Amino acid sequence: MIRVLGIETSCDETAASVVTLDGRSTPQILSNIVLSQIEEHAAFGGVVPEIAARAHVEALDGIIEAALADSGVDLADIDAIAATAGPGLVGGLIVGLMTAKAIAAAAKKPLIAINHLEGHALTARLTDGLDFPYLLLLVSGGHTQIVAVRGVGDYQRWATTIDDALGEAFDKTAKMLGLPYPGGPNVEKAAANGDAARFAFPRPMKGSVQPDFSFSGLKTAVRQAATAIAPLSDQDVADICASFQAAVADALGDRVARALTRFRQQFPDKAEPALVVAGGVAANRTIKATLQGLCEQAGFSFVAPPLNLCTDNAAMIAWAGIERLRAGISGENAADFVPRSRWPLDSVSAPMVGSGRRGAKA
Ligand code: KG4
Ligand code: ZN
Protein backbone atom coordinates (compact mmCIF):
# COMPACT_ATOMS: atom_id res chain seq x y z
CA MET A 1 0.00 0.00 0.00
CA ILE A 2 1.34 3.42 -0.98
CA ARG A 3 -0.19 6.53 0.57
CA VAL A 4 0.88 9.97 -0.62
CA LEU A 5 -0.05 13.46 0.55
CA GLY A 6 -0.12 15.91 -2.39
CA ILE A 7 0.20 19.69 -2.20
CA GLU A 8 -0.59 22.14 -5.03
CA THR A 9 -0.01 25.93 -4.91
CA SER A 10 1.31 26.84 -8.38
CA CYS A 11 -1.41 29.31 -9.32
CA ASP A 12 -4.68 30.39 -7.72
CA GLU A 13 -5.84 27.15 -6.12
CA THR A 14 -4.60 26.07 -2.69
CA ALA A 15 -5.01 22.30 -2.64
CA ALA A 16 -4.11 19.18 -0.67
CA SER A 17 -5.11 15.56 -1.15
CA VAL A 18 -4.36 12.02 -0.01
CA VAL A 19 -4.28 9.30 -2.66
CA THR A 20 -3.58 5.60 -2.08
CA LEU A 21 -2.72 2.58 -4.17
CA ASP A 22 -2.64 -0.94 -2.83
CA GLY A 23 -1.24 -2.64 -5.90
CA ARG A 24 -4.21 -4.91 -6.60
CA SER A 25 -7.15 -2.54 -6.83
CA THR A 26 -7.62 0.84 -8.51
CA PRO A 27 -6.14 3.92 -6.86
CA GLN A 28 -8.32 5.81 -4.39
CA ILE A 29 -8.62 9.50 -3.73
CA LEU A 30 -9.23 9.56 0.03
CA SER A 31 -9.48 13.35 0.19
CA ASN A 32 -9.28 16.19 -2.31
CA ILE A 33 -9.55 19.72 -0.92
CA VAL A 34 -9.32 22.69 -3.30
CA LEU A 35 -9.68 26.29 -2.22
CA SER A 36 -10.08 28.58 -5.22
CA GLN A 37 -8.97 32.20 -5.03
CA ILE A 38 -11.20 33.30 -7.92
CA GLU A 39 -12.95 35.92 -5.77
CA GLU A 40 -9.68 37.48 -4.60
CA HIS A 41 -8.58 38.00 -8.21
CA ALA A 42 -11.91 38.76 -9.92
CA ALA A 43 -11.69 42.52 -9.43
CA PHE A 44 -8.39 42.54 -11.33
CA GLY A 45 -9.61 40.43 -14.26
CA GLY A 46 -6.78 37.93 -13.81
CA VAL A 47 -4.48 36.30 -11.26
CA VAL A 48 -2.34 38.75 -9.25
CA PRO A 49 0.84 36.89 -8.14
CA GLU A 50 1.33 38.79 -4.87
CA ILE A 51 -2.28 38.25 -3.79
CA ALA A 52 -2.04 34.57 -4.76
CA ALA A 53 1.10 33.98 -2.68
CA ARG A 54 -0.40 35.65 0.40
CA ALA A 55 -3.62 33.67 0.05
CA HIS A 56 -1.64 30.39 -0.11
CA VAL A 57 0.25 31.34 3.07
CA GLU A 58 -3.01 31.99 4.89
CA ALA A 59 -4.83 28.87 3.71
CA LEU A 60 -2.34 26.07 3.17
CA ASP A 61 -1.90 24.77 6.75
CA GLY A 62 -5.66 24.45 7.21
CA ILE A 63 -6.14 22.82 3.81
CA ILE A 64 -3.47 20.19 4.55
CA GLU A 65 -4.99 19.48 7.96
CA ALA A 66 -8.42 19.11 6.35
CA ALA A 67 -7.08 16.78 3.65
CA LEU A 68 -5.46 14.53 6.27
CA ALA A 69 -8.55 14.58 8.50
CA ASP A 70 -10.88 13.83 5.57
CA SER A 71 -8.73 10.92 4.42
CA GLY A 72 -8.68 9.29 7.85
CA VAL A 73 -4.95 8.65 7.39
CA ASP A 74 -2.46 9.75 10.05
CA LEU A 75 0.55 11.72 8.89
CA ALA A 76 2.64 8.94 10.46
CA ASP A 77 1.11 6.46 7.99
CA ILE A 78 1.79 8.60 4.90
CA ASP A 79 4.61 7.18 2.75
CA ALA A 80 5.70 10.40 1.04
CA ILE A 81 4.84 14.06 0.50
CA ALA A 82 4.49 15.19 -3.14
CA ALA A 83 4.45 18.92 -3.85
CA THR A 84 4.23 20.96 -7.04
CA ALA A 85 7.66 22.53 -7.58
CA GLY A 86 6.91 24.21 -10.92
CA PRO A 87 6.02 25.57 -13.39
CA GLY A 88 3.90 28.39 -12.05
CA LEU A 89 3.95 31.57 -9.98
CA VAL A 90 7.11 31.42 -7.93
CA GLY A 91 5.57 32.96 -4.79
CA GLY A 92 2.95 30.23 -4.57
CA LEU A 93 5.44 27.50 -5.45
CA ILE A 94 7.72 28.63 -2.60
CA VAL A 95 4.83 28.49 -0.12
CA GLY A 96 3.82 24.95 -1.16
CA LEU A 97 7.29 23.47 -1.55
CA MET A 98 8.69 24.95 1.69
CA THR A 99 5.64 23.74 3.62
CA ALA A 100 6.09 20.28 2.10
CA LYS A 101 9.80 20.29 2.99
CA ALA A 102 8.99 21.25 6.60
CA ILE A 103 6.36 18.50 6.96
CA ALA A 104 8.66 15.94 5.33
CA ALA A 105 11.57 16.87 7.61
CA ALA A 106 9.47 16.91 10.79
CA ALA A 107 7.65 13.64 10.00
CA LYS A 108 10.78 12.01 8.49
CA LYS A 109 9.08 11.28 5.19
CA PRO A 110 10.50 11.47 1.68
CA LEU A 111 9.61 14.53 -0.37
CA ILE A 112 8.90 14.31 -4.10
CA ALA A 113 9.10 17.48 -6.22
CA ILE A 114 6.43 17.26 -8.92
CA ASN A 115 6.11 19.06 -12.24
CA HIS A 116 2.55 20.44 -12.33
CA LEU A 117 2.23 19.48 -16.02
CA GLU A 118 3.12 15.89 -15.14
CA GLY A 119 0.20 15.95 -12.70
CA HIS A 120 -2.15 16.87 -15.57
CA ALA A 121 -0.45 14.35 -17.88
CA LEU A 122 -0.90 11.35 -15.55
CA THR A 123 -4.43 12.09 -14.27
CA ALA A 124 -6.09 9.81 -16.82
CA ARG A 125 -4.22 6.85 -15.29
CA LEU A 126 -5.70 7.74 -11.88
CA THR A 127 -9.24 8.17 -13.20
CA ASP A 128 -9.38 5.73 -16.12
CA GLY A 129 -6.41 3.41 -15.63
CA LEU A 130 -5.09 4.32 -19.08
CA ASP A 131 -2.01 2.51 -20.41
CA PHE A 132 0.93 4.29 -22.05
CA PRO A 133 1.31 5.70 -24.63
CA TYR A 134 -1.53 8.19 -25.11
CA LEU A 135 -2.02 11.71 -26.37
CA LEU A 136 -2.74 14.62 -24.02
CA LEU A 137 -4.35 17.93 -24.95
CA LEU A 138 -3.80 20.41 -22.12
CA VAL A 139 -5.90 23.55 -22.52
CA SER A 140 -5.87 25.85 -19.50
CA GLY A 141 -5.34 29.48 -18.56
CA GLY A 142 -1.57 29.18 -18.88
CA HIS A 143 -0.91 26.29 -21.25
CA THR A 144 -2.04 24.98 -24.60
CA GLN A 145 -0.05 21.88 -25.41
CA ILE A 146 -0.26 18.54 -27.13
CA VAL A 147 1.93 15.98 -25.42
CA ALA A 148 2.68 12.37 -26.26
CA VAL A 149 2.68 10.67 -22.86
CA ARG A 150 4.98 7.65 -23.28
CA GLY A 151 5.71 6.72 -19.68
CA VAL A 152 6.29 8.19 -16.22
CA GLY A 153 8.83 10.97 -16.78
CA ASP A 154 8.78 10.28 -20.52
CA TYR A 155 6.93 13.03 -22.38
CA GLN A 156 7.23 14.52 -25.84
CA ARG A 157 5.71 17.91 -26.45
CA TRP A 158 4.36 17.93 -29.98
CA ALA A 159 2.75 21.34 -29.94
CA THR A 160 2.46 24.46 -27.87
CA THR A 161 1.10 27.97 -28.33
CA ILE A 162 3.31 30.55 -29.95
CA ASP A 163 1.48 33.37 -28.14
CA ASP A 164 -1.59 33.22 -25.86
CA ALA A 165 -2.90 30.16 -24.05
CA LEU A 166 -6.42 29.17 -25.04
CA GLY A 167 -7.96 29.94 -21.64
CA GLU A 168 -6.23 33.31 -21.75
CA ALA A 169 -7.82 33.99 -25.17
CA PHE A 170 -11.25 33.23 -23.66
CA ASP A 171 -10.49 35.46 -20.65
CA LYS A 172 -9.27 38.37 -22.79
CA THR A 173 -12.23 38.07 -25.17
CA ALA A 174 -14.58 38.18 -22.18
CA LYS A 175 -12.84 41.25 -20.80
CA MET A 176 -13.09 43.07 -24.15
CA LEU A 177 -16.82 42.34 -24.26
CA GLY A 178 -17.43 43.39 -20.65
CA LEU A 179 -18.11 39.83 -19.41
CA PRO A 180 -16.89 38.91 -15.90
CA TYR A 181 -13.76 36.88 -14.96
CA PRO A 182 -13.07 34.01 -15.45
CA GLY A 183 -14.08 34.54 -19.05
CA GLY A 184 -14.38 31.00 -20.40
CA PRO A 185 -17.66 29.97 -18.79
CA ASN A 186 -19.20 33.41 -19.50
CA VAL A 187 -18.18 33.39 -23.16
CA GLU A 188 -19.68 29.90 -23.48
CA LYS A 189 -22.91 31.02 -21.80
CA ALA A 190 -23.26 34.09 -24.04
CA ALA A 191 -22.39 32.04 -27.14
CA ALA A 192 -25.38 29.77 -26.52
CA ASN A 193 -27.69 32.59 -27.72
CA GLY A 194 -25.46 33.78 -30.54
CA ASP A 195 -25.09 33.34 -34.28
CA ALA A 196 -21.74 31.64 -34.95
CA ALA A 197 -21.91 32.56 -38.64
CA ARG A 198 -22.21 36.34 -38.15
CA PHE A 199 -18.44 37.03 -37.91
CA ALA A 200 -15.84 35.23 -40.02
CA PHE A 201 -12.97 35.17 -37.53
CA PRO A 202 -9.59 33.72 -38.56
CA ARG A 203 -8.63 30.10 -37.81
CA PRO A 204 -5.02 30.65 -36.72
CA MET A 205 -2.45 28.07 -37.90
CA LYS A 206 -5.11 26.03 -39.68
CA GLY A 207 -3.37 23.89 -42.29
CA SER A 208 0.16 24.41 -40.92
CA VAL A 209 2.26 21.25 -40.79
CA GLN A 210 3.48 21.75 -37.23
CA PRO A 211 0.53 21.24 -34.88
CA ASP A 212 1.36 24.41 -32.87
CA PHE A 213 -1.28 26.93 -31.75
CA SER A 214 -1.72 30.68 -31.98
CA PHE A 215 -4.57 32.77 -30.59
CA SER A 216 -3.43 36.38 -30.53
CA GLY A 217 -4.54 37.11 -34.11
CA LEU A 218 -7.99 35.82 -33.29
CA LYS A 219 -8.10 38.06 -30.23
CA THR A 220 -7.19 41.06 -32.40
CA ALA A 221 -9.92 40.17 -34.90
CA VAL A 222 -12.45 40.02 -32.05
CA ARG A 223 -11.34 43.43 -30.81
CA GLN A 224 -11.65 44.95 -34.29
CA ALA A 225 -15.11 43.47 -34.83
CA ALA A 226 -16.28 44.71 -31.43
CA THR A 227 -14.88 48.20 -31.98
CA ALA A 228 -16.47 48.45 -35.42
CA ILE A 229 -20.01 47.87 -34.14
CA ALA A 230 -19.76 49.47 -30.66
CA PRO A 231 -21.80 50.12 -28.56
CA LEU A 232 -22.56 46.42 -28.30
CA SER A 233 -26.03 45.05 -27.66
CA ASP A 234 -26.44 41.77 -25.77
CA GLN A 235 -27.11 40.12 -29.13
CA ASP A 236 -23.86 41.54 -30.57
CA VAL A 237 -21.93 40.13 -27.61
CA ALA A 238 -23.63 36.75 -28.02
CA ASP A 239 -22.86 36.67 -31.76
CA ILE A 240 -19.19 37.61 -31.21
CA CYS A 241 -18.85 34.92 -28.51
CA ALA A 242 -20.47 32.28 -30.72
CA SER A 243 -18.30 33.22 -33.72
CA PHE A 244 -15.15 33.27 -31.53
CA GLN A 245 -15.96 29.87 -30.05
CA ALA A 246 -16.60 28.39 -33.49
CA ALA A 247 -13.24 29.73 -34.72
CA VAL A 248 -11.46 28.30 -31.68
CA ALA A 249 -13.08 24.88 -32.02
CA ASP A 250 -12.25 24.79 -35.72
CA ALA A 251 -8.60 25.84 -35.25
CA LEU A 252 -8.11 23.49 -32.30
CA GLY A 253 -9.73 20.64 -34.21
CA ASP A 254 -7.35 21.12 -37.13
CA ARG A 255 -4.31 21.03 -34.82
CA VAL A 256 -5.53 18.00 -32.89
CA ALA A 257 -6.41 16.09 -36.08
CA ARG A 258 -2.79 16.41 -37.16
CA ALA A 259 -1.57 15.15 -33.82
CA LEU A 260 -3.89 12.11 -34.01
CA THR A 261 -2.41 11.23 -37.41
CA ARG A 262 1.11 11.64 -36.09
CA PHE A 263 0.29 9.44 -33.09
CA ARG A 264 -0.87 6.66 -35.43
CA GLN A 265 2.38 6.93 -37.38
CA GLN A 266 4.60 7.01 -34.32
CA PHE A 267 2.81 4.29 -32.36
CA PRO A 268 1.43 1.97 -35.07
CA ASP A 269 1.17 -0.95 -32.62
CA LYS A 270 -1.00 0.86 -30.09
CA ALA A 271 -4.24 -1.09 -30.19
CA GLU A 272 -6.65 1.36 -28.57
CA PRO A 273 -5.20 4.85 -28.87
CA ALA A 274 -6.69 7.57 -26.67
CA LEU A 275 -6.85 11.35 -26.55
CA VAL A 276 -7.05 12.75 -23.03
CA VAL A 277 -8.08 16.34 -22.27
CA ALA A 278 -7.03 18.37 -19.24
CA GLY A 279 -7.32 21.99 -18.13
CA GLY A 280 -10.25 24.30 -17.47
CA VAL A 281 -11.07 24.90 -21.15
CA ALA A 282 -11.94 21.20 -21.42
CA ALA A 283 -15.23 22.20 -19.73
CA ASN A 284 -16.35 23.90 -22.96
CA ARG A 285 -19.08 21.83 -24.61
CA THR A 286 -18.47 23.03 -28.16
CA ILE A 287 -14.77 22.18 -27.87
CA LYS A 288 -15.53 18.84 -26.25
CA ALA A 289 -17.99 17.92 -29.01
CA THR A 290 -15.42 18.83 -31.69
CA LEU A 291 -12.76 16.68 -30.04
CA GLN A 292 -15.16 13.81 -29.53
CA GLY A 293 -16.10 13.91 -33.23
CA LEU A 294 -12.44 13.89 -34.31
CA CYS A 295 -11.70 10.94 -32.06
CA GLU A 296 -14.63 8.96 -33.42
CA GLN A 297 -13.45 9.59 -36.96
CA ALA A 298 -9.85 8.64 -36.19
CA GLY A 299 -10.68 5.57 -34.07
CA PHE A 300 -9.36 7.09 -30.83
CA SER A 301 -11.16 6.86 -27.53
CA PHE A 302 -11.83 10.26 -26.00
CA VAL A 303 -11.04 10.49 -22.30
CA ALA A 304 -12.26 13.52 -20.36
CA PRO A 305 -11.65 13.02 -16.62
CA PRO A 306 -14.18 14.62 -14.24
CA LEU A 307 -13.78 18.40 -14.40
CA ASN A 308 -12.57 18.75 -10.80
CA LEU A 309 -9.61 16.54 -11.73
CA CYS A 310 -9.09 18.32 -15.10
CA THR A 311 -8.58 21.67 -13.41
CA ASP A 312 -5.88 22.34 -10.82
CA ASN A 313 -6.00 20.01 -7.82
CA ALA A 314 -3.65 18.15 -5.49
CA ALA A 315 -4.94 14.62 -6.16
CA MET A 316 -3.08 14.72 -9.48
CA ILE A 317 0.08 15.78 -7.65
CA ALA A 318 -0.25 12.98 -5.06
CA TRP A 319 -0.91 10.54 -7.91
CA ALA A 320 2.18 11.71 -9.83
CA GLY A 321 4.09 11.06 -6.58
CA ILE A 322 2.70 7.51 -6.44
CA GLU A 323 3.61 6.95 -10.10
CA ARG A 324 7.15 8.14 -9.45
CA LEU A 325 7.55 6.03 -6.30
CA ARG A 326 6.26 2.99 -8.15
CA ALA A 327 8.60 3.61 -11.07
CA GLY A 328 11.55 4.18 -8.73
CA ILE A 329 12.21 7.69 -10.05
CA SER A 330 11.10 9.84 -7.16
CA GLY A 331 14.30 11.91 -7.15
CA GLU A 332 16.99 11.76 -4.52
CA ASN A 333 17.47 15.35 -3.47
CA ALA A 334 14.01 16.82 -3.34
CA ALA A 335 14.88 18.47 -0.02
CA ASP A 336 17.28 20.71 -1.99
CA PHE A 337 14.88 21.29 -4.87
CA VAL A 338 14.37 24.95 -5.77
CA PRO A 339 10.97 25.96 -7.26
CA ARG A 340 11.04 26.56 -11.01
CA SER A 341 8.70 29.11 -12.54
CA ARG A 342 9.48 27.57 -15.94
CA TRP A 343 9.90 23.83 -16.14
CA PRO A 344 9.08 22.18 -19.48
CA LEU A 345 7.85 18.60 -19.26
CA ASP A 346 9.93 17.71 -22.22
CA SER A 347 13.43 19.12 -21.93
CA VAL A 348 14.23 18.07 -25.50
CA SER A 349 11.67 20.27 -27.28
CA ALA A 350 12.99 23.72 -28.10
CA PRO A 351 11.46 26.51 -26.00
CA MET A 352 8.76 28.38 -27.91
CA VAL A 353 9.55 32.07 -27.98
CA GLY A 354 6.57 34.10 -26.79
CA SER A 355 4.54 31.17 -25.49
CA GLY A 356 2.87 31.24 -22.10
CA ARG A 357 3.67 34.91 -21.63
CA ARG A 358 1.54 35.08 -18.57
CA GLY A 359 3.69 32.22 -17.34
CA ALA A 360 1.40 31.72 -14.42
CA LYS A 361 -1.23 29.10 -14.89
CA ALA A 362 -0.75 25.60 -16.08
O1 KG4 B 1 -7.22 24.64 -15.59
P1 KG4 B 1 -7.80 25.91 -15.06
O2 KG4 B 1 -8.92 25.84 -14.07
O3 KG4 B 1 -6.72 26.80 -14.41
C1 KG4 B 1 -5.48 26.99 -14.94
O4 KG4 B 1 -5.37 27.75 -15.93
O5 KG4 B 1 -4.56 26.37 -14.40
O6 KG4 B 1 -8.26 26.74 -16.35
C2 KG4 B 1 -8.82 28.01 -16.22
C3 KG4 B 1 -9.08 28.52 -17.61
C4 KG4 B 1 -9.54 29.96 -17.60
O7 KG4 B 1 -8.83 30.66 -18.59
C5 KG4 B 1 -11.03 29.83 -17.94
O8 KG4 B 1 -11.54 30.96 -18.61
C6 KG4 B 1 -11.05 28.60 -18.82
O9 KG4 B 1 -10.12 27.72 -18.22
N1 KG4 B 1 -12.37 27.98 -18.86
C7 KG4 B 1 -13.13 27.86 -19.98
C8 KG4 B 1 -14.37 27.29 -19.57
N2 KG4 B 1 -14.32 27.07 -18.22
C9 KG4 B 1 -13.09 27.50 -17.81
N3 KG4 B 1 -12.88 28.18 -21.25
C10 KG4 B 1 -13.85 27.95 -22.16
N4 KG4 B 1 -15.05 27.42 -21.85
C11 KG4 B 1 -15.37 27.08 -20.58
N5 KG4 B 1 -16.56 26.59 -20.28
ZN1 ZN C 1 -2.93 23.35 -14.31
Side-chain angles (χ1 to χ4, degrees), residues 140-142 167-168 170-171 182-185 188 279-281 283-284 311-312 361-362:
S140 69
E168 201 177 355
F170 270 95
D171 293 337
E188 181 173 16
V281 184
N284 187 286
T311 54
D312 289 352
K361 304 191 88 181

Coordinates of all heavy atoms in Angstrom, one line a residue, residues 140-142 167-168 170-171 182-185 188 279-281 283-284 311-312 361-362, ligand 1:
S140 N -5.5 25.2 -20.7 CA -5.9 25.8 -19.5 C -5.6 27.3 -19.6 O -5.4 27.8 -20.8 CB -5.1 25.3 -18.4 OG -3.7 25.6 -18.5
G141 N -5.6 28.0 -18.5 CA -5.3 29.5 -18.6 C -3.9 29.8 -18.9 O -3.6 30.9 -19.3
G142 N -3.0 28.9 -18.7 CA -1.6 29.2 -18.9 C -0.9 28.3 -19.9 O 0.2 28.6 -20.4
G167 N -7.1 29.4 -22.7 CA -8.0 29.9 -21.6 C -7.8 31.5 -21.6 O -8.7 32.2 -21.3
E168 N -6.5 31.9 -21.8 CA -6.2 33.3 -21.8 C -7.0 34.0 -22.9 O -7.5 35.1 -22.7 CB -4.7 33.4 -22.0 CG -4.1 34.7 -21.6 CD -2.5 34.5 -21.8 OE1 -2.0 33.5 -22.2 OE2 -1.9 35.6 -21.6
F170 N -9.9 33.1 -24.1 CA -11.2 33.2 -23.7 C -11.4 34.4 -22.6 O -12.3 35.2 -22.7 CB -11.7 31.9 -23.0 CG -12.3 30.9 -23.9 CD1 -11.6 29.9 -24.5 CD2 -13.7 31.0 -24.3 CE1 -12.2 29.0 -25.4 CE2 -14.3 30.1 -25.1 CZ -13.5 29.1 -25.7
D171 N -10.4 34.4 -21.7 CA -10.5 35.5 -20.7 C -10.4 36.9 -21.2 O -11.1 37.8 -20.8 CB -9.4 35.2 -19.6 CG -9.6 33.9 -18.8 OD1 -10.8 33.5 -18.8 OD2 -8.7 33.4 -18.3
P182 N -13.9 34.5 -14.3 CA -13.1 34.0 -15.5 C -13.9 33.9 -16.7 O -15.1 33.6 -16.7 CB -12.6 32.6 -15.0 CG -13.6 32.2 -14.0 CD -14.2 33.4 -13.4
G183 N -13.3 34.3 -17.8 CA -14.1 34.5 -19.0 C -14.7 33.3 -19.7 O -15.8 33.4 -20.3
G184 N -14.0 32.2 -19.6 CA -14.4 31.0 -20.4 C -15.8 30.6 -20.2 O -16.6 30.6 -21.2
P185 N -16.3 30.4 -19.0 CA -17.7 30.0 -18.8 C -18.6 31.0 -19.3 O -19.7 30.7 -19.8 CB -17.8 29.8 -17.3 CG -16.4 29.7 -16.8 CD -15.5 30.4 -17.7
E188 N -18.9 31.1 -23.0 CA -19.7 29.9 -23.5 C -21.2 30.2 -23.3 O -22.0 29.9 -24.1 CB -19.2 28.6 -22.7 CG -20.1 27.4 -23.2 CD -19.6 26.1 -22.6 OE1 -18.8 26.1 -21.6 OE2 -20.0 25.1 -23.2
G279 N -7.3 20.5 -18.2 CA -7.3 22.0 -18.1 C -8.7 22.5 -18.2 O -9.7 21.8 -18.6
G280 N -8.9 23.7 -17.6 CA -10.2 24.3 -17.5 C -11.0 24.4 -18.8 O -12.3 24.3 -18.8
V281 N -10.4 24.7 -19.9 CA -11.1 24.9 -21.2 C -11.8 23.6 -21.6 O -12.7 23.7 -22.4 CB -10.1 25.4 -22.2 CG1 -10.8 25.7 -23.5 CG2 -9.4 26.7 -21.8
A283 N -13.8 22.1 -20.2 CA -15.2 22.2 -19.7 C -16.1 22.7 -20.9 O -17.3 22.4 -20.8 CB -15.4 23.2 -18.6
N284 N -15.5 23.3 -21.9 CA -16.4 23.9 -23.0 C -17.0 22.8 -23.8 O -16.3 22.0 -24.4 CB -15.4 24.8 -23.8 CG -16.2 25.6 -24.8 OD1 -16.7 25.1 -25.8 ND2 -16.4 26.9 -24.5
T311 N -9.1 20.4 -13.8 CA -8.6 21.7 -13.4 C -7.6 21.4 -12.3 O -7.4 20.3 -11.8 CB -9.7 22.6 -13.0 OG1 -10.5 21.9 -12.0 CG2 -10.7 22.9 -14.1
D312 N -7.0 22.5 -11.8 CA -5.9 22.3 -10.8 C -6.4 21.7 -9.5 O -7.4 22.1 -9.0 CB -5.2 23.7 -10.6 CG -4.4 24.1 -11.8 OD1 -4.2 23.3 -12.7 OD2 -3.9 25.2 -11.8
K361 N -0.4 30.3 -15.1 CA -1.2 29.1 -14.9 C -0.8 27.9 -15.8 O -0.4 28.2 -16.9 CB -2.7 29.5 -15.2 CG -3.1 30.7 -14.4 CD -4.6 30.9 -14.5 CE -5.3 30.1 -13.5 NZ -6.8 30.2 -13.6
A362 N -1.1 26.8 -15.3 CA -0.8 25.6 -16.1 C -2.0 24.8 -16.2 O -2.7 24.6 -15.4 CB 0.3 24.8 -15.4
Ligands
KG4_1 O1 -7.2 24.6 -15.6 P1 -7.8 25.9 -15.1 O2 -8.9 25.8 -14.1 O3 -6.7 26.8 -14.4 C1 -5.5 27.0 -14.9 O4 -5.4 27.8 -15.9 O5 -4.6 26.4 -14.4 O6 -8.3 26.7 -16.3 C2 -8.8 28.0 -16.2 C3 -9.1 28.5 -17.6 C4 -9.5 30.0 -17.6 O7 -8.8 30.7 -18.6 C5 -11.0 29.8 -17.9 O8 -11.5 31.0 -18.6 C6 -11.0 28.6 -18.8 O9 -10.1 27.7 -18.2 N1 -12.4 28.0 -18.9 C7 -13.1 27.9 -20.0 C8 -14.4 27.3 -19.6 N2 -14.3 27.1 -18.2 C9 -13.1 27.5 -17.8 N3 -12.9 28.2 -21.2 C10 -13.9 27.9 -22.2 N4 -15.0 27.4 -21.9 C11 -15.4 27.1 -20.6 N5 -16.6 26.6 -20.3

